Amino acid sequence: VKVFAQDGRLLRRIGARGGRREGRFNPLAMSEPIAVAIDADDQLWVAEHDSRPKRVGVWSRDGRLIRDFIGPPGYGGGGALLAEPSPGQEDGATGRLTGFYRGMRFSVPEWPEAATLEAVMFRPEAHGDLPYPVNGDALPDHPVRHGGALYLVHDNGWAVPAVFIGEADGDRLAPRVIFGGIGTLRKAWQRLHPAYVEGLGKEGVFLWQDANGDGTAEPGEVAVQPDWRAGAMWAMRAWPALDLLARETNALVVLKPLPGEPLRYSLDAAVRIPLPEAALRQGITAIAPDRDGNYILNCGGGGNQGSAENVLLSLAPDGRVRWTYPNPFPANWHNSPMPRDGDIQHTLNVEGFASAGGAIGDVFQLNGNKGTRYLFTHDGLFVAELFGDMRRNPMQQNLLQAERGLRLDR
């Protein structure tokens, strides 16, 4: 921001030169200032036209940053937390909390203290070479430890029918793997590599791997499998084990990371798991691996809302159905009756796992599209509904201030 005298002379600049780059976040740098205002306390407010981060800064007239406001998140929230022990703590202790959101890393203190932006790890404009629509917000932010490295994953198929895996390299994110539908590759590279795209088929999946470790993509690093199909309506999860999932006519196709480092996959090493009749007949809204090597399938879709044949199920690696739970209204539709106790409605995908200990083992959280979350044991027992259906709990839509103990389920 430049300050001029009335006669046009440049008096001073506010903010550091150079704008915003990938790496450690510099709060004194701005990105595309778009609006300014002076308040009653003679403070300068500057709105920045950027998403990494969205920011409004408050500055003194002489250029000192007083404070800034970062956020809010985009539609649906998103992001993920990584809890790791601090130095000297035993494994399993919750010490440092790190948050990841759309290419950014935050330090997260105990509530109600605000998180602090530490690094902008990935800026899309620096990665136009990737076979992926990096001009959007479908960026890696789910942390997975694998082989001594920290990877961030994006796998929300509703935004982009592809999985994007990057490796945390200090304060930056190095792209390593992209796996998705051939249409994603064609769209991303139609101008950058037109001759290559012209030779692609219309169907299939592609696998890009950073073969030379430079974090940039080229056609020689891409493999194509024309007989597979990518994605489910609401994602094929890649975490917690970095499995890559695709479909054949009657089977789920699984690519597991090859042994050793760096992170690598082989199309020839694919494992095929026969799909059950419920998935073949009703379709699949979403798939997520659990932490025991099974796969949770959300079966059904828009064309069969209300069908008693729509189920949530667990599929073992040998194709055996381990359990099912009634799920007549899957996916992000809005045509269900008011729920009864134990009903799950407009379910999307698994959001995470936690150990309940003892004989219970893991529980997982399933997203509902009416403001609810559902908890299940890993063997298919309904545990609880979190929050409340927005049709019965309108306060959730009007909540302005969060407080400990606040009830969101009534």
Side-chain angles (χ1 to χ4, degrees):
V1 174
K2 296 180 179 180
V3 182
F4 293 89
Q6 290 185 348
D7 61 7
R9 288 179 296 109
L10 176 63
L11 298 178
R12 59 188 176 276
R13 292 179 173 87
I14 295 176
R17 289 177 179 268
R20 191 159 298 137
R21 303 287 186 267
E22 289 182 348
R24 199 74 181 176
F25 178 63
N26 179 5
L28 299 181
M30 301 185 203
S31 179
E32 299 187 44
I34 193 173
V36 296
I38 301 292
D39 67 15
D41 295 322
D42 208 32
Q43 298 175 136
L44 173 68
W45 290 63
V46 181
E48 301 175 36
H49 184 55
D50 196 2
S51 295
R52 267 157 291 276
K54 298 177 181 176
R55 188 171 85 138
V56 175
V58 184
W59 305 74
S60 66
R61 294 286 289 268
D62 60 1
R64 178 175 53 88
L65 179 63
I66 298 171
R67 67 162 302 176
D68 58 9
F69 299 86
I70 291 178
Y75 171 75
L81 292 174
L82 176 64
E84 296 186 306
S86 298
Q89 285 186 308
E90 296 181 358
D91 289 346
T94 300
R96 172 181 167 84
L97 268 181
T98 304
F100 299 94
Y101 180 74
R102 294 186 179 180
M104 296 174 286
R105 187 185 75 227
F106 295 82
S107 175
V108 183
E110 291 189 9
W111 190 89
E113 297 300 319
T116 301
L117 178 57
E118 293 183 330
V120 179
M121 303 179 72
F122 188 93
R123 290 193 64 86
E125 64 271 18
H127 298 274
D129 58 285
L130 295 179
Y132 191 84
V134 292
N135 59 321
D137 287 320
L139 302 180
D141 59 12
H142 197 104
V144 177
R145 290 280 183 191
H146 178 84
L150 174 64
Y151 294 93
L152 301 182
V153 180
H154 186 277
D155 56 12
N156 286 342
W158 60 269
V160 178
V163 173
F164 180 3
I165 302 175
E167 181 181 358
D169 181 10
D171 291 329
R172 290 176 170 81
L173 188 72
R176 297 299 188 220
V177 174
I178 297 174
F179 178 74
I182 207 75
T184 298
L185 174 62
R186 295 177 64 90
K187 184 176 181 180
W189 275 4
Q190 61 186 350
R191 293 186 178 180
L192 187 62
H193 300 291
Y196 175 80
V197 169
E198 185 66 25
L200 293 173
K202 300 295 184 183
E203 302 290 345
V205 303
F206 76 96
L207 171 64
W208 169 75
Q209 303 184 84
D210 184 24
N212 58 13
D214 67 355
T216 62
E218 53 191 56
E221 296 176 318
V222 174
V224 173
Q225 170 45 266
D227 298 326
W228 298 353
R229 300 294 178 265
M233 177 183 176
W234 213 265
M236 289 184 166
R237 289 274 183 248
W239 50 266
L242 296 182
D243 290 353
L244 302 179
L245 307 179
R247 287 277 307 273
E248 283 185 334
T249 303
N250 297 313
L252 174 66
V253 180
V254 182
L255 295 180
K256 291 186 173 295
L258 299 176
E261 298 182 48
L263 181 65
R264 289 288 185 269
Y265 299 87
S266 171
L267 297 182
D268 295 332
V271 176
R272 291 165 175 80
I273 303 174
L275 286 170
E277 281 300 316
L280 296 175
R281 187 171 52 247
Q282 302 299 105
I284 300 174
T285 288
I287 305 176
D290 69 15
R291 298 199 294 193
D292 297 319
N294 307 298
Y295 298 88
I296 301 167
L297 275 63
N298 187 349
C299 299
N304 48 32
Q305 289 289 294
S307 171
E309 296 187 56
N310 293 337
V311 293
L312 186 73
L313 65 83
S314 174
L315 183 67
D318 60 4
R320 174 176 48 89
V321 175
R322 298 176 60 245
W323 54 261
T324 65
Y325 194 90
N327 186 31
F329 294 93
N332 57 325
W333 294 75
H334 305 278
N335 54 351
S336 62
M338 295 298 291
R340 303 164 299 178
D341 289 344
D343 284 352
I344 61 175
Q345 292 183 344
H346 305 298
T347 50
L348 305 177
N349 209 337
V350 172
E351 295 183 311
F353 302 86
S355 175
I360 297 176
D362 268 2
V363 295
F364 66 87
Q365 179 171 294
L366 182 66
N367 186 355
N369 201 43
K370 290 293 185 184
T372 52
R373 298 296 188 270
Y374 305 105
L375 296 184
F376 280 84
T377 64
H378 71 107
D379 50 1
L381 298 179
F382 180 88
V383 177
E385 176 184 310
L386 304 181
F387 309 116
D389 189 299
M390 59 189 295
R391 294 169 292 183
R392 308 189 290 202
N393 299 272
M395 187 184 77
Q396 291 185 182
Q397 302 179 62
N398 302 305
L399 181 63
L400 298 178
Q401 182 65 45
E403 300 175 357
R404 284 198 183 277
L406 184 66
R407 294 297 297 264
L408 295 175
D409 60 347
R410 58 180 61 173

